[in-house]
């Protein structure tokens, strides 16, 4: 009997959690292919560390090393999905599918801001690596010319805060290493919200801002950025000169989804309880390209946590699909919380309803990362 063709787009947390949760029987019954822009999977939650070249264990995994040998790997960028003909088109070919699992993740959201091309983005491993290279280059220039450096981070969400803290740490270390004062090496963080991380209580938000300021980050709240110029961030009522502008003020679902015919809101498809696109039982959307109802009239925010759970759930569903069995389980999600690292050994967090700050939540974040390493790489992942 012909084995159904299953194509997975994207090797992020969602796509990898799906493929790593399938069993031998699934690979015998189905023909699985993953199409990804790169030949590797990476920890998106650690991209701020890539952007500051901070050592933080293994971040990137070769797909061939972590995936079942039966899975075909195609390293190409998908350019189009033909939902009617059931064909995925890439820059180099066309691939037919019986089932599609779209897990293409997030992209920067620029809100059509004027001058956005003057900023850099933490939205992929490659882009984040470019930021680290730029910082290195600008630092060398400042050293040679006896000047300083201004990094302006636009956006006070998780990514902006984690990057600003790592960047301030990195500049301090570099200055110390070269025996120069760090007073002309500044990191600014501009947030449009009146306080940082509004899902935290006011007290924890304040702790987050206080810790950043203690690390030397200059935090500006409640300020809307109106445009960017080369080397300049313009906001309502003022501007900041910048040697490097890093835009972290929002993400949306991948453009292959936002540009496709499927109904979506900024690249996120409102999926049903089985994670299908409405009325399309052969097409699934998981991770940051999906919007899952929280049962209270809203949608869960896109996180690595929900992406992993969706992947594991979908694998259970595929076991039934491939066996022509019925599957009654609906996807349900309960968030364990959120941890925001502020430098190497400090974090603020809301975990299982409890707010905490300090060293312990930063250890928890490391444990979450190790747990994922073990899932993708086996027991040896625990020491990577
Ligand atoms: C710095 C930072 C810190 C974060 N911290 C946390 C945190 O502490 N906790 C948390 O839960 N979440 C956190 N997040 C959010 C989390 O990383 C995302 O929600 C998560 O990565 C989504 O997983 P995903 O699998 O949907 O997509 P992604 O991880 O974005 O993976 C998508 C994959 O699809 C590929 N792809 C995209 N388009 C195409 C195409 N056209 N063709 C082929 N391949 C394509 C990409 O190359 C990528 O490999 C953080 C994000 C950042 C940037």
């Amino acid at each position: 009997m012909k084995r159904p063709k299953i194509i997975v787009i994207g090797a992020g947390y969602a796509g990898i959690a799906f493929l790593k949760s399938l069993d031998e029987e699934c690979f015998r019954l189905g023909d699985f292919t993953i199409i990804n822009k790169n030949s590797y999977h990476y920890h998106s939650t650690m991209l701020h560390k890539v952007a500051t070249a901070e050592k933080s264990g293994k971040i990137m995994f070769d797909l061939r090393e972590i995936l079942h040998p039966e899975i075909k790997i195609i390293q190409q960028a998908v350019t189009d999905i033909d939902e009617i003909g059931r064909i995925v088109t890439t820059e180099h070919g066309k691939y037919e599918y019986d089932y599609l699992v779209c897990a293409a993740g997030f992209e920067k959201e620029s809100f059509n801001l004027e001058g956005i091309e003057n900023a850099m983005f933490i939205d992929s491993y490659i882009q984040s690596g470019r930021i680290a290279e730029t910082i290195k280059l600008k630092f060398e220039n400042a050293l040679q010319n006896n000047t300083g450096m201004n990094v302006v981070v636009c956006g006070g969400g998780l990514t902006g805060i984690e990057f600003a803290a790592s960047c301030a740490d990195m500049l301090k270390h570099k200055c110390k290493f070269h025996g120069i004062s760090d007073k002309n090496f500044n990191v600014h963080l501009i947030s449009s919200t009146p306080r940082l991380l509004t899902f935290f209580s006011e007290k924890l938000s304040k702790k987050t801002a206080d810790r950043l300021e203690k690390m030397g980050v200059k935090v500006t709240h409640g300020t809307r950025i109106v445009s960017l110029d080369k080397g300049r961030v313009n906001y309502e009522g003022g501007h900041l000169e910048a040697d490097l502008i890093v835009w972290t003020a929002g993400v949306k679902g991948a453009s292959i989804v936002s540009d496709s015919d499927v109904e979506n809101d900024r690249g996120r498809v409102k999926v049903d309880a089985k994670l299908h696109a409405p009325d399309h039982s052969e097409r699934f959307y998981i991770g940051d390209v999906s919007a899952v109802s929280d049962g209270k009239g809203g949608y869960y925010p896109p996180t690595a946590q929900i992406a992993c759970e969706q992947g594991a759930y979908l694998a259970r569903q595929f076991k039934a699909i491939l066996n022509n069995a019925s599957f009654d389980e609906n996807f349900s999600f309960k968030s364990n919380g959120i941890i925001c690292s502020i430098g190497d050994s400090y974090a603020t967090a809301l975990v299982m309803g409890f707010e905490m700050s300090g060293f312990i939540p930063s250890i928890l974040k490391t444990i979450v990362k190790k747990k994922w390493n073990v899932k993708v790489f086996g027991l040896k992942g625990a020491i990577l």
Side-chain angles (χ1 to χ4, degrees), residues 16-245:
I16 294 298
F18 170 62
L19 291 171
K20 293 296 286 184
S21 305
L22 296 166
D23 60 15
E24 288 294 336
E25 188 188 29
C26 293
F27 293 118
R28 215 174 48 247
L29 297 173
D31 175 356
F32 288 85
T33 299
I34 182 158
I35 308 182
N36 192 55
K37 278 181 188 170
N38 314 105
S39 61
Y40 50 83
H41 159 72
Y42 54 84
H43 274 286
S44 299
T45 56
M46 297 284 152
L47 286 181
H48 59 288
K49 298 204 173 198
V50 178
T52 50
E54 194 182 315
K55 281 199 187 77
S56 51
K58 194 165 171 72
I59 288 183
M60 185 206 267
F61 297 86
D62 188 303
L63 288 179
R64 195 63 286 165
E65 276 185 50
I66 62 170
L67 290 179
H68 193 284
E70 281 289 323
I71 302 170
K72 293 188 195 75
I73 300 170
I74 296 174
Q75 189 203 327
Q76 285 172 27
V78 172
T79 51
D80 185 50
I81 303 168
D82 172 357
E83 284 94 2
I84 297 163
R86 296 192 186 179
I87 293 170
V88 170
T89 305
T90 69
E91 40 197 352
H92 299 298
K94 287 186 185 293
Y95 304 89
E96 285 175 13
Y97 67 84
D98 298 300
Y99 294 98
L100 179 71
V101 177
C102 185
F106 67 90
E107 284 180 9
K108 66 172 187 291
E109 171 65 282
S110 59
F111 304 105
N112 295 323
L113 186 83
E114 190 189 325
I116 191 71
E117 64 279 5
N118 295 301
M120 296 186 85
F121 310 96
I122 305 179
D123 62 352
S124 69
Y125 192 88
I126 292 176
Q127 292 299 336
S128 305
R130 284 194 185 129
I131 292 178
E133 279 302 312
T134 306
I135 296 176
K136 220 158 108 185
L137 204 82
K138 302 258 177 188
F139 188 89
E140 286 302 320
N141 279 346
L143 210 57
Q144 275 167 27
N145 300 321
N146 226 350
T147 55
M149 184 174 166
N150 254 357
V151 177
V152 181
V153 183
C154 308
L158 211 57
T159 308
I161 293 171
E162 293 189 328
F163 170 72
S166 291
C167 190
D169 241 1
M170 177 209 204
L171 291 177
K172 266 206 175 69
H173 282 121
K174 276 182 168 287
C175 288
K176 198 169 167 200
F177 179 81
H178 290 280
I180 57 169
S181 160
D182 58 21
K183 83 176 187 337
N184 292 326
F185 292 81
N186 296 307
V187 179
H188 297 263
L189 180 127
I190 305 176
S191 168
S192 62
T193 51
R195 61 185 178 88
L196 301 179
L197 305 180
T198 45
F199 44 82
F200 283 171
S201 67
E202 267 191 47
K203 195 172 156 207
L204 199 61
S205 277
K206 186 167 177 323
K207 267 196 180 161
T208 306
D210 287 351
R211 182 69 187 193
L212 277 173
E213 275 166 358
K214 200 170 162 202
M215 293 178 76
V217 177
K218 296 175 175 29
V219 182
T220 310
H221 301 277
T223 300
R224 208 172 67 85
I225 293 165
V226 289
S227 66
L228 305 178
D229 290 316
K230 193 167 188 298
R232 185 175 155 134
V233 176
N234 305 305
Y235 52 85
E236 278 166 346
H239 73 269
L240 268 174
E241 300 298 329
D243 298 283
L244 170 65
I245 304 168

